[in-house]
Amino acid sequence: MVVKIIIMKDDKPIDQVIIKGNTASIGRKSDCDISIKDPAVSGNHAQLKKTREGYLIEDLGSTNGLHLAGQKISQKVLKNEDVVTIGEHQLRFLFSDADAGENQSTENAAEDGYLKVISGANAGDRIELKEALTSIGEPGVQVAAVSKRPKGHYIIHVDGGKNKDKVPLVNGEPTGFKSRKLEPGDIIEVAGIQMEYCV
């Protein structure tokens, strides 16, 4: 089983990690498999372990604990799409085979759309949107992400570079800080680059 973990802060995706082994360490230390730079996260905060029932997340005696659906947990077998809060961050777990349950089929229900670059040096390029999360833009200038969900693709503001309030444009309109569903033909602008959403 392959586990994809979307790391979020304030419900905005900031990174993703793929776990292919039977165990993974989670904590603030840089040598953890899932390293989270957050003062509220302990050095060795939790462990992910494959069991007969599925992947188990277990608190390793951390200061601030683990929370799932608002409840503090010491250990829990995770389901597809579960979101665990650790410090100021959230971890969204996506499982890639049938063991993950019925939710997996809806996870893949969205068509594999793509973005066609229509301005700038890379005009004509195609950006595939097959992954659960695809980052677009230019680090340090402006970054957004396209999230693949059962009901389609959504664009999410990630980073505005020096201008923290700089959000993506869709058809010339600012998206704000919430995710926005994309429709075929929408023109997206991130870091001065225009792209057309196609399916």
Side-chain angles (χ1 to χ4, degrees), residues 35-49:
S35 178
I36 303 173
K37 303 304 180 197
D38 179 344
V41 174
S42 297
N44 290 306
H45 196 106
Q47 177 176 264
L48 193 63
K49 184 165 57 178

Side-chain angles (χ1 to χ4, degrees), residues 117 119-125 193:
V117 181
S119 74
N122 297 318
D125 281 6
I193 302 164

Side-chain angles (χ1 to χ4, degrees), residues 12-139:
K12 294 176 192 167
I14 57 173
D15 200 2
Q16 67 178 26
V17 179
I18 293 177
I19 303 295
K20 294 183 179 176
N22 291 329
T23 61
S25 54
I26 305 170
R28 197 174 68 248
K29 288 184 175 178
S30 56
D31 60 354
C32 286
D33 297 306
I34 303 162
S35 178
I36 303 173
K37 303 304 180 197
D38 179 344
V41 174
S42 297
N44 290 306
H45 196 106
Q47 177 176 264
L48 193 63
K49 184 165 57 178
K50 188 175 183 180
T51 69
R52 196 174 289 176
E53 288 78 31
Y55 270 90
L56 176 86
I57 191 166
E58 183 177 12
D59 188 355
L60 297 177
S62 65
T63 304
N64 293 309
L66 301 169
H67 293 82
L68 177 66
Q71 300 291 319
K72 190 167 185 177
I73 57 170
S74 58
Q75 58 178 26
K76 178 83 173 172
V77 174
L78 296 168
K79 300 191 302 290
N80 193 42
E81 299 269 3
D82 271 350
V83 177
V84 175
T85 299
I86 174 169
E88 301 284 317
H89 290 69
Q90 301 88 40
L91 305 180
R92 180 173 174 233
F93 291 85
L94 302 172
F95 299 100
S96 67
D97 67 14
D99 292 345
E102 294 177 8
N103 286 343
Q104 183 60 27
S105 59
T106 58
E107 176 69 23
N108 293 327
E111 292 184 49
D112 287 337
Y114 64 93
L115 298 177
K116 184 168 68 178
V117 181
I118 56 177
S119 74
N122 297 318
D125 281 6
R126 180 170 160 147
I127 302 169
E128 300 291 343
L129 301 174
K130 293 179 180 177
E131 299 295 326
L133 196 72
T134 304
S135 295
I136 55 175
E138 189 177 331

Side-chain angles (χ1 to χ4, degrees), residues 132-197:
L133 196 72
T134 304
S135 295
I136 55 175
E138 189 177 331
V141 178
Q142 188 184 12
V143 178
V146 178
S147 168
K148 181 180 175 183
R149 302 181 189 175
K151 294 182 180 177
H153 289 94
Y154 290 73
I155 188 163
I156 309 160
H157 166 77
V158 176
D159 181 27
K162 291 178 182 175
N163 181 357
K164 298 297 180 191
D165 296 326
K166 189 175 184 181
V167 297
L169 301 179
V170 176
N171 302 328
E173 298 177 2
T175 60
F177 294 97
K178 294 183 178 179
S179 61
R180 170 169 169 164
K181 189 176 190 294
L182 294 172
E183 302 293 343
D186 277 350
I187 303 298
I188 300 163
E189 185 172 327
V190 179
I193 302 164
Q194 290 188 323
M195 293 156 274
E196 181 183 354
Y197 173 64

